Amino acid sequence: MSGVEEHDLVARVEGSAGIIRLNRPKAINAVTLEMFRGIDKALDRFEADPAVAVIVLEGAGERGLCAGGDIRALWESSKVDGDLGKSLWREEYILNARIKKFPKPYVAFMDGIVMGGGVGLSAHASHRIVTERTRLAMPEVGLGFFPDVGGTYLLSRSPGEIGTYFGLTGQTMNGPDAIHAKFADAVVPVAKWPELRAALTKVRQGVTAADVSKLINGFAAGEAAGPVAARQATIDALFGFDRMEDIVAALKRDGSEFAHATLKTLNEKSPRGMVVTLKLLRLARTASSLEECLVREYRAALEVFRSDDFREGVRAAVIDKDRNPTWSPPRIEDVTPDLLAPYLAEIGTDELKFN
């Protein structure tokens, strides 16, 4: 066993596995810019080390892999017209793309809470393990934001309108629903993880992705569709529109208990965040790569960082915790094309670039 341990991040070699452990259990392993940089350096080391055959991402503590990015720090920077968003999201999104293309099998153990930035570190992995405790969500519209870290790419590739539903409502997926939505590959019971983890540290050099999949499947429960999957036909009918006004109208016409509950959820979200999210999801459907979506997300994220809605959403959810944001504008109908345009505009020399 070798490697360097930092307070918030553990990166070391155990047998033939490069272990990356998010190590802020009290904060449910919320990720900071320094942690993203540490993960990138660890991947440099593991990629170059011929003794490392597989990467394993895990979170410290019992509560979850990762609750997301350090939202409070972003909020504080946004309030003073700082540039943390510009640097953090740039490095984070480039790391997300690197994870998807990483040349060695990358196994993410998505136990407990997995949200926002935690999804970016795990759902682009080659092998994505969820458990009976997994609670995965992209709740950014409740913060005046949108599902980023490649979330628009992932959600747009979920079956039917499942991704539209999860992206706009911020609702939580359990493990089987995460598989149905194509955010994960296998449910492995928590009790079996220590044995599987030990087996991953003993795989041979040059192990193939197929070999790792076979190993994981030997511990898997076989579940692949949860409660939301059972509503696929209803969700497809209600969310198969390109305008938020049409989705809301369909929900009102439907009048079912599900539609009523969904409307209530949407009414709590940022109108601007929902309109931006839906537009990015529709654009992502024709994207040829994750990178293309990340470039678009970065443009939109910088605009979000400058917006009152982001500061107000974080204030209500994280700072004051009154759960009573005042959105601007307050209605979906008031999010005009002129208001939407800056979220989609090219940003010249600030564009996100990949090596």
Side-chain angles (χ1 to χ4, degrees), residues 187-255:
V187 177
V188 174
V190 172
K192 292 188 176 182
W193 171 242
E195 187 181 352
L196 172 54
R197 186 185 185 282
L200 288 167
T201 67
K202 296 181 176 68
V203 297
R204 58 178 173 78
Q205 272 66 44
V207 68
T208 67
D211 290 336
V212 174
S213 294
K214 186 176 179 181
L215 173 62
I216 292 168
N217 288 338
F219 293 85
E223 300 170 88
V228 174
R231 297 189 181 275
Q232 179 85 57
T234 301
I235 288 170
D236 288 354
L238 296 173
F239 283 83
F241 303 93
D242 295 338
R243 298 190 328 135
M244 276 307 306
E245 293 94 327
D246 295 333
I247 291 173
V248 169
L251 288 163
K252 286 179 178 176
R253 281 195 307 271
D254 183 88

